[in-house]
Amino acid sequence: MSLEKEIERRRTFGIVSHPDAGKTTLTEKLLLFGGAIQEAGAVKSNKIKKGATSDFMEIERQRGISVATSVLAFEYEGIKINILDTPGHKDFAEDTFRTLTAVDSVIVVIDVAKGVEEQTEKLVEVCRMRSIPMIVFINKLDREGKDAFELLDEIEQKLHLKVTPLSFPIGMGYDFKGIYNIWEKNVNLFSGDSRKNIEDTTEVTNLQDSVLDELIGNDAAQNLRDELELVQGVYPDFNKEAYLEGTQQPVFFGSALNNFGVRELLDCFVTIAPTPRPKESEERLVDPYEMDFSGFVFKIHANMDPKHRDRLAFIKIVSGVFERNKPYLHVRNKKKLKFSSPNAFFAEKKQIVDISYPGDIVGLHDTGNFKIGDTLTSGEEIHYKGIPAFSPEHFRYINNADPMKSKQLAKGIDQLMDEGVAQLFTLELNGRKVIGTVGALQYEVIQYRLEHEYGAKCTYELLNVHKACWVEPEDAKSEEFKEFLRVKQRYMAKDKRGQLVFLADSPFSLQMTQQKYPSVRMHFVSEFENA
Ligand code: G4P
């Protein structure tokens, strides 16, 4: 198959949701449709179970699962689908944000009873900022939940999306009768007792047709006609261009657990979802159809087996083809590297592959060469951008608890930061190291992993920081900037890339600083162009 054809048939996406909305269940049902797994329950959830925050074995178990579920690939009607897993737990949000740099579109799952929840808001905001095409799936229609119109309103208000329903529920909870598929113009009826099979769908091209009354009863039929009229009146028609630009989001209703509404979602998805998209690099826009290979690292998994220092770097292929045993340029290190056993992912299995195409993810065994955000190419010196670091929420000093192991500690910290577990800041004044994380859970993970993987012990000390602000002076030589550096010396640090950071200790001091030094710009994201 030609490069063009291979690109055309690829869809790489992520499913995002608040924990428990049904992401794992939906993923599993999609794999069932693709024939990639044979039975429900085969996909292991990688979520941290409630109350397991201090159970390190649980975290380790989850790390194992999350390698297996990092990419779930399958074929459906000739389309190669790559689902990238995104952790739902909020303490791992940073990992999810990074994964979102590697997807071409997303499906947002919302629980019909709970509506829009906190994690969904944050994740959708990131997708919106990057104009990632989104499809919304409203799940658990077999349960009592919010009224469909109320929910669509809530999605528009809270997520700032412009929705258009492509399916519509007939009843809900106990009265849930089925789905009218606006996209295909047919009715799909629900029989609650069968969890696996889907009733035959019935084509209803004309809503006034009495077939509808026979199928679902007069009252429900009339109700549906009224509701669909309202849908037509209130919501715009589906516009594929607008969806692809990220300015319109189609909505589907269903029940993942009951395998209901999933096929409709999948059929529409493979038709409308984008093929691998061009990606901005610092130098130029790179098109997937270019013959020369390029890709970037968006995720690193280290030390799955502590006896061997093994790391798996996940690369999203942006352009050209990636081939086994060919030398590629690691742009940051200016080194050529060859990979004898690149992994591709199929459902939950890894396999060595000879060739991969744009949209695909390959897992490369690495001995410490890669960092998140690194670019790999056939030879051209380009740098992909767009894996920014966000200001952490928690900050603690990290101290060495075993003076005999300071080398191990330094190496461990270095590698865990490369993996993106947390962010490291080094204070300008005294060189002390500060670890910043999104969630408090990360500190326990780091401490545990330092001890078990590197034989190093650490302790933490609380540090009162409100936000890390990346500093950008209008003029680095100005008196104002010099004064800022002098007065705020105690609060200045460098991040791992050597960028200057101001650690503001309170919202008030941040505000005062901004007022006093207006020519010193403060960013809460490490990449200013995207801020
Ligand atoms: P997540 O990955 O988004 O965190 O959610 P997950 O799929 O694990 O689903 C969370 C819970 O919601 C699970 O129940 C799952 O069975 C249930 N669920 C998913 N889809 C539907 C649906 O369409 N209808 C109904 N009624 N429930 C649904 P659990 O009790 O937490 O786990 P389990 O013991 O069933 O695995």
Side-chain angles (χ1 to χ4, degrees):
M1 216 183 284
S2 67
L3 175 63
E4 286 78 38
K5 288 226 170 81
E6 290 288 0
I7 295 175
E8 294 298 321
R9 72 182 201 96
R10 273 166 172 75
R11 308 283 183 278
T12 301
F13 77 106
I15 305 181
V16 300
S17 74
H18 192 86
D20 276 347
K23 183 165 70 74
T24 312
T25 314
L26 179 64
T27 306
E28 183 173 280
K29 295 303 152 88
L30 294 173
L31 291 173
L32 274 173
F33 272 108
I37 54 170
Q38 308 311 324
E39 55 183 312
V43 176
K44 295 177 201 74
S45 166
N46 77 351
K47 66 184 160 188
I48 308 263
K49 296 256 177 341
K50 291 177 197 87
T53 45
S54 56
D55 183 345
F56 305 117
M57 289 327 287
E58 174 70 10
I59 292 166
E60 282 304 282
R61 194 182 66 80
Q62 299 298 352
R63 283 214 310 135
I65 291 172
S66 66
V67 166
T69 59
S70 285
V71 189
L72 295 161
F74 65 97
E75 300 239 347
Y76 178 74
E77 303 196 332
I79 303 287
K80 164 99 190 281
I81 297 176
N82 296 313
I83 307 181
L84 305 197
D85 193 33
T86 55
H89 195 291
K90 69 172 174 29
D91 285 10
F92 294 89
E94 192 89 20
D95 204 12
T96 299
F97 293 143
R98 281 192 295 260
T99 299
L100 289 176
T101 63
V103 303
D104 296 306
S105 72
V106 304
I107 293 181
V108 184
V109 182
I110 290 175
D111 182 324
V112 68
K114 299 207 174 121
V116 173
E117 295 173 90
E118 189 195 341
Q119 272 305 97
T120 327
E121 271 183 73
K122 284 196 186 146
L123 295 169
V124 166
E125 191 186 333
V126 173
C127 298
R128 227 186 40 236
M129 271 162 47
R130 304 213 169 132
S131 306
I132 300 177
M134 285 181 257
I135 297 180
V136 179
F137 181 72
I138 298 178
N139 190 28
K140 307 196 188 182
L141 262 287
D142 58 314
R143 287 204 188 152
E144 291 301 328
K146 299 188 181 187
D147 168 72
F149 286 107
E150 191 190 318
L151 208 49
L152 291 170
D153 256 2
E154 187 178 325
I155 293 170
E156 292 211 318
Q157 299 295 327
K158 286 199 182 161
L159 299 179
H160 309 286
L161 300 181
K162 288 255 167 284
V163 299
T164 182
L166 285 188
S167 79
F168 209 79
I170 309 171
M172 182 190 296
Y174 185 71
D175 283 330
F176 182 46
K177 291 196 169 54
I179 300 275
Y180 181 77
N181 188 336
I182 299 175
W183 170 250
E184 290 173 9
K185 293 200 176 55
N186 59 28
V187 177
N188 193 345
L189 293 182
F190 178 61
S191 73
D193 52 354
S194 113
R195 297 205 147 183
K196 295 252 168 68
N197 302 319
I198 292 173
E199 296 262 288
D200 288 341
T201 49
T202 313
E203 286 277 334
V204 183
T205 39
N206 177 2
L207 274 177
Q208 302 312 323
D209 198 326
S210 61
V211 175
L212 194 63
D213 300 72
E214 283 161 31
L215 283 171
I216 59 175
N218 292 344
D219 289 351
Q222 196 45 49
N223 207 2
L224 178 65
R225 288 184 188 112
D226 294 345
E227 285 181 330
L228 288 174
E229 202 177 302
L230 198 57
V231 167
Q232 266 212 321
V234 174
Y235 297 101
D237 285 345
F238 173 67
N239 177 328
K240 189 170 165 186
E241 285 313 307
Y243 156 69
L244 291 175
E245 282 165 10
T247 53
Q248 188 190 70
Q249 290 77 22
V251 179
F252 284 85
F253 291 84
S255 162
L257 186 65
N258 294 290
N259 214 355
F260 205 82
V262 179
R263 187 194 59 78
E264 288 81 350
L265 172 72
L266 184 58
D267 281 343
C268 178
F269 174 82
V270 292
T271 316
I272 66 171
T275 55
R277 305 205 291 176
K279 190 169 171 70
E280 254 334 313
S281 72
E282 274 168 27
E283 294 76 11
R284 63 188 187 85
L285 186 71
V286 180
D287 194 87
Y289 296 89
E290 292 179 20
M291 293 310 286
D292 289 336
F293 159 75
S294 69
F296 66 97
V297 181
F298 67 95
K299 183 183 183 109
I300 291 177
H301 256 288
N303 303 342
M304 289 317 300
D305 177 358
K307 286 187 213 84
H308 309 100
R309 287 247 175 268
D310 61 333
R311 307 191 346 156
L312 203 57
F314 290 78
I315 312 254
K316 159 95 185 269
I317 299 178
V318 178
S319 67
V321 290
F322 176 91
E323 289 175 75
R324 188 153 89 102
N325 281 328
K326 247 192 158 176
Y328 291 119
L329 178 68
H330 182 307
V331 177
R332 183 174 53 81
N333 285 352
K334 300 197 188 325
K335 251 196 339 203
K336 288 260 181 177
L337 300 173
K338 255 197 228 176
F339 303 92
S340 59
S341 52
N343 281 291
F345 304 85
F346 299 98
E348 293 200 280
K349 290 189 286 291
K350 284 194 300 193
Q351 263 175 28
I352 291 179
V353 279
D354 291 325
I355 190 160
S356 305
Y357 297 92
D360 284 342
I361 310 298
V362 285
L364 303 179
H365 289 285
D366 170 41
T367 48
N369 286 312
F370 286 120
K371 284 186 190 179
I372 283 178
D374 278 348
T375 305
L376 203 61
T377 70
S378 295
E380 188 179 349
E381 292 200 17
I382 49 171
H383 302 78
Y384 283 113
K385 49 186 187 180
I387 306 206
F390 292 79
S391 170
E393 308 272 324
H394 303 264
F395 297 83
R396 291 185 195 171
Y397 284 121
I398 183 163
N399 300 322
N400 186 2
D402 182 352
M404 304 297 286
K405 299 282 172 66
S406 55
K407 254 194 187 161
Q408 285 87 333
L409 184 73
K411 179 165 188 190
I413 295 177
D414 199 46
Q415 293 205 342
L416 292 184
M417 299 305 127
D418 283 353
E419 217 185 297
V421 175
Q423 292 180 55
L424 180 73
F425 301 98
T426 309
L427 289 185
E428 291 275 88
L429 194 61
N430 51 19
R432 286 193 72 179
K433 294 194 178 339
V434 173
I435 303 261
T437 66
V438 178
L441 183 56
Q442 305 292 31
Y443 290 106
E444 299 176 34
V445 175
I446 293 168
Q447 201 168 35
Y448 176 84
R449 290 190 57 190
L450 283 173
E451 187 167 345
H452 287 81
E453 294 167 26
Y454 299 91
K457 285 204 172 82
C458 74
T459 55
Y460 298 113
E461 219 176 296
L462 280 178
L463 175 69
N464 181 28
V465 175
H466 160 65
K467 262 203 164 42
C469 317
W470 280 268
V471 172
E472 185 192 25
E474 256 168 41
D475 175 5
K477 295 203 180 82
S478 70
E479 285 308 313
E480 185 174 314
F481 186 56
K482 282 185 196 149
E483 186 189 316
F484 164 80
L485 290 179
R486 189 164 42 78
V487 175
K488 298 294 173 190
Q489 201 180 19
R490 279 178 51 209
Y491 303 95
M492 300 313 297
K494 288 259 170 73
D495 74 0
K496 208 159 172 267
R497 291 192 252 184
Q499 283 181 300
L500 195 62
V501 177
F502 169 58
L503 300 175
D505 58 358
S506 69
F508 177 72
S509 92
L510 176 60
Q511 199 187 354
M512 294 309 286
T513 308
Q514 281 174 314
Q515 273 174 14
K516 190 148 184 231
Y517 307 102
S519 76
V520 181
R521 257 178 257 137
M522 304 279 179
H523 302 274
F524 304 116
V525 181
S526 68
E527 283 199 10
F528 312 144
E529 311 86 79
N530 294 351

